[in-house]
Structure formats: C-alpha cells, structure tokens
Amino acid sequence: MSSLDLWLQATVNGIALGWLYVLMALGLTLILSIMGILQLAHGEIYMLGAYAVHYLVGRGLGLYPAIATSMFIMAVLGIILERGLFRPRSGREVVLCSIVISTGLTLILTSAIVVIFGLYTKSLPLLATGSVEIFGAAVPKDRILAIGFSVLALVLLYLFLKKTRLGLAMIASAQNREGSFLKGINPNRMSMAAMAIGCALAALAGALAGAILQLQPYMGALPMIKGLVIIVLGGLGSIPGALIGGLILGLIDGIVPVFFSPAVASVGPLVVVILVLLFRPKGLLGHD
Amino acid sequence: MRSKRVFLICAVLVIGVLLFSLSACAKEETTTSSAPATTAAPSTTAGPETTAGPTTTGAPAGEVKTLKIGTIMPQTGPLAILGLAFTRAWDLYAEDVNQAGGVKIGNDTYQIKFIHEDSKGSAEGASTAASKLVNQDKVDLVIGAILESEMAAINQVTEAAGVLYAQANANIPGAPQDVSSDKPLQVRPFINHDETGPIDLDYIAKTYPEAKKIALSVPDIGYEGMVERLQAQVAARGMQIVAQEKWPWGTTDFVPIMTKLNAAKPDIIWAMVSGQANDQLKAARQLGFKGVFVSNSPLGADVFVVTVQDPAALTDVICNSVDVTHPTPEVKKLMDAWQAKWPNDPFISDAVHAYDMPWVMVQVMQKAGAIGDAATLVKTMEGMTNPGDIQTLHGPGYIGGADRFGVNRVLYRPLPLSRIMNGQIEFIGFMEPVKE
C-alpha cells in the first residue's frame, strides 16, 4: 500500500468521523447560541438516540425508519426537557442551573439505559458491508454513507435556517434575544425549536456512530467532549465554526493515528484549541 | 401558569408511561448480543472429560458452618460489565454449592457466602473494600480485581491481615502485581490469556501453512512482556511479526489502527487480549484484509458473529474464548442458570472463568482439610501440580507457573479453540497449554 493510499484511507475515515462530530457540535452550538446554556447531557441524547434505534430495530422496524423515528422521539424529548427543565425562569441563575440540571440529567439518562438495556454492548444493523476502492485504497462503505447522511442533515438544516420563517427567527433570536423579542419573536419558541433540532441531530449522530461502532451506556461521553472542543475551536455559537472545527477534529482523529500514534492524536485537538485560542480568543469563526 | 403546570404534569406522566413501557418491552426483547443459533461443523476433537461440578456433600450431617468469601470487583464505571459477569458467576457457584447442602472441608460442612464489594475500578476503592472485608466482615478468602493497581492495593491489606488473596485476572502476566515469591499469600486461579499463543500458532501453521507474516494489534497497557514472549514463539515457527501497533485503552474506532497494520500486508492480524477484538476484525475486513484474524481475548466466537454481522468478514477468524455454542455439560448448566436468573442479559463467557475461581480455591481447602491458615493453603496449592489435581469447567487442570513466575500458584487448564468460517462457528477443541 502506497503512502498516497494510506493518506486517502486516513482522510476519508477522518472526514467520516468529522461529520459525526459536526452533527454533535451543531446541536450543542444551536442550543448554546439560542438558549445561552451549555447542555452537558447532549452526549446522553446521542446515546439515547442510538439505543432508541436499537430498540425500534428489535421491534421489527427497518434501520432507516428507525433512525428517522429516533430523531423524532429525541426532538420531542428535547421539547419536553426545554419546557420542563431548561426554560429560564425569573429568579433563577440560568447558566448555573442549566449546568446542574444537565449534569444530573447525564447521570439519570445513563442509569436509566443501564437499568433498561443492561451494561452489555449492543449492536445496530450495519449501514453497509465491505468497502469501495478509491484510487487503490479501500474505503469502508458505511463511513461513506455516514458522510452522506451527515451532509444531507447539514444541508437541510442550512435550508431550514435560511429559507423558513422559523429558521430566520431562530437566527435572529441567536443574534439578539431581546431585539428579536421586540420584533415579536417568541424566545421560548425559539429555544424549544433549538432543543428539538439539536436533540434530533444528536440522535442521528448516535445512530450513525452506533451502526459503525457499537452501543454502550457510556458512549456519549467522548463525543460530548469532542463537541465541546469543537464549539470552542469553531467559536461559541457559530454554525460554520462547528462545521470547520468538527472536520479539523475528525481529520486529526483519522490521520494522526496512522502517521504518528493514537496517543498523539488524543493530544492533537487540545494543542490545536490552545493554538487557535492564543491567536483567536473567540475561536475560528466566533463573534461578539 | 395553570397551563404550564398542566403541561408539566402531562410531560411527567408521558415520560413515566414511556419509560415503563420501554422497560416492560425491553424485558421481552431478545438483544442482538445474545448467542445466535449457528450450524457448526462437528468438532474435530472431543471436549474435555466432563467433571462432576463442584464437589458437594449432599445433606449436611451436623452443624453447618459458613465459608465467607469476600469479592472485590468494579461494580460501577466502565469496567462494571466485567465485575457484573464475575459476581453473577460467583453467586451461581454459591447457589450450586448451598443448594446441594454445602461443601465438605475436613470434618466440617460449609455453606458458601459471598460478600461483594465495589472496587470502583480504582486502587483506592479496592483498598477500602479489602479493609472492610478483612477487618469488618472477617472473610476467609478474598477474590477479585481486574486491574493490576487494584491487585496491589488488595494484597497490601490481605498480606498484613494474613488472609489468602486470589487474584481474578492477569492483564500483564509477570507484572510486579502478579503472583510471585514476595507475595506469600497471593495466588491466581486464572490462566494467562497468552498461554494460547503456541496453540494458535501451531493451529495456523497446520491449517494455513502459507501464512507467515503477522501484524500485532496491542492495547497500550503494558503488554510488552507478552509481546516479547509471542515474538519468540513466532520466530520459533519460522513466522515473522511485520508490524505492531499499540492503541490506548478506550479506543472505539479501529480503522486508523487497522489502516496502518494492513499497510504492512500481513497474512495474519493478531489482536492481543482485547475485549474489542470484534471491532478490530470489522475494521480490518472493511479495509480489505482477507487473511487470518486471531483473537486471544475473552470475547466469545458468538459475540464476533453477532456484532460483526457480515459473513464475508466472519471467515478465517481464530478465537480462544469459551465457545458458548458448543458448551460442555457443566458450562451449559451454568449458562442455563444464568439465563433463568437474568433472561435479558446475554451470557458472558467470562462467567466461566469466574465460576472456576472459588471452585478451585475450595478444592485447595478440601485438599488442605481446613479453610483457615492462608500459608498452609498456599503451600497445599503449590503442591497440586499434577494434571487432574484441579477440576474446572474447562476440564481437568493443575497448578503451575514456577517456570514463569517463580512460584506454582497459577491455574493451568485446557484452553478452548474455535474458528469462524463464513459466519459459522467451528469448535476445534480444548487444547492443553504448551510450555514454551
């Protein structure tokens, strides 16, 4: 295998991982920019989404309908969480409360999955088997499909945000909550929409990752950390920043272990974040 | 305000109903991890001579005493899955013994009582648990630990208290925390995973004579000694290790590792003792590797079949775990007892190793004729070196290890060998460990 083939294989794998990270980070950044909270249980929504697919597939539903249903269920759960737990109330410190609530939620959701499904690793049906040859390098088909689904989700999100009234209202609310309120945009509705979309994206990421890798109750922790690194790297609240940050992290995870070592790859993202923050304290595409 | 309350109440009710129904349905569900029905080729060698299971007394004649065994395993955190499998197996062993009336040791009959403690996967947790078991519960024996750091912590407490400690694992055989002459009250009723090396290599040499180049996938947790040992065994058979990659604990995506190993164009990819060998196989096959895949991990062949799914990928896979699709009658009994008690959880083959541990220690006590005096028990165990001195679920075994660890305090017993071809599991047989 030539060095070029190795590069190609590593790059495609990195891009596939990167897109999964992007899905996670998009939800996080959407929630952060519109609601102003850090939803630390987002990794658990990712895990819950994957387990919902596992459950639905076990009930006889096909993989793709199960993924769509899981996204819908997580969106509804997001709305319930927003209305029941995260909605700002007078006299309540929003940021601190959200951190405490989402940390508790993390423990509750993980424990619930352990109780219901057990600690044992579960599997989802494969997205695809085998690989395709691109310039002599074998590229796993399931990763190509994961990239396809993730790109599709991002395009749909982009169209939603740019072409629909609700999407435009969400952008306005994210840019200036008070100003948009004076223009008649209900911030609570925007928060609800952000949680619904964010949770649906996390469910999609969880389902894709679950089909490529495996399911276990603690699977949400690492993507959550990656998601946080990405939004810091890309700029808090910036959707293009989340996209670029996710792809950078994915490429680091895909390429560095092949040409250096997995240990270097685990340090890589932190080094990049430190360097970026040194020169651009608001992240790559962050703004005031 | 009223509508908000109504919404909240409705939401809580909906979540409650959802969780309840999900829980109820999940209980009926057959998980994808459960053992599949496979049509396997007939085994080429017979299994071990079956043993009678734990030696019990029938109904006790006089006073029944209690043999208290303290266990220390991670019951919370990422390693809890192992702790759970082990403690369940121990409970099943106690049930077997106690339902049969107890076990006769010397002139007394004992019911077995396990006291389980959580190590939390840390040395601190293990130390606290050991102190409680030794000082408060006054146990006769301590069994447990997955990690070497836990073993060291437990040994510090048990040695000081003069209590026998049976370690339940050996990630790194010969590590400073493993059995040795400077730990007089520590034994290991558990065979090293790397004893499978010569068995696998001989099988490969016979079945795949063209396969010579091996790529090693190694968890980065101190396996250097095991790698060196394997290198010597490989070289002795005219084979060669052409690539070696270490990966950190917690790795879930093996495509980068397999990309690198595959670049060396190996005939064989050897996944050294890892619970994620199935993920490694999946990644290797996706990247076009068509050679022999060896897993000397505790992962059962059935787990490969269920999780890797693709029959094209499930070919020429060599496994050394207990083959739950071809169990011995004793293993089958254990599996049935597990399924009856925990019908939602797939049987984990680690439970077979775990079940053997207290059983081995009870056999040592029976031979010594007493449960007390840890030093006497160790001395007795060190003398049980003849094949058949110890009975296990894998067949007759013995105590050895002096050639490698300086002391005869390690269980040696037959090791299972299976091969997966086109998604079907072939049980090759139980193989005696080879001294090399």
Side-chain angles (χ1 to χ4, degrees), chain B residues 305-316:
Chain B
V305 173
V306 171
T307 55
V308 177
Q309 299 175 45
D310 180 12
L314 287 160
T315 281
D316 298 319

Side-chain angles (χ1 to χ4, degrees), chain B residues 9 19 51 158-159 161 223 268 401:
Chain B
I9 292 166
L19 278 175
T51 56
T158 50
E159 288 278 2
Y223 279 5
I268 302 158

Side-chain angles (χ1 to χ4, degrees), chain A residues 24 34 53 77 80 87 131 164-165 178 189 207 225 262 287:
Chain A
M24 269 298 281
I34 291 175
V53 174
L77 179 67
I80 293 172
R87 180 163 293 188
S131 55
T164 66
R165 284 173 64 85
E178 286 76 22
R189 272 193 68 205
I225 294 169
H287 48 73

Side-chain angles (χ1 to χ4, degrees), chain A residues 24-39:
Chain A
M24 269 298 281
L26 276 178
L28 264 180
T29 206
L30 210 58
I31 292 166
L32 179 68
S33 59
I34 291 175
M35 296 174 67
I37 63 164
L38 206 51
Q39 215 291 67

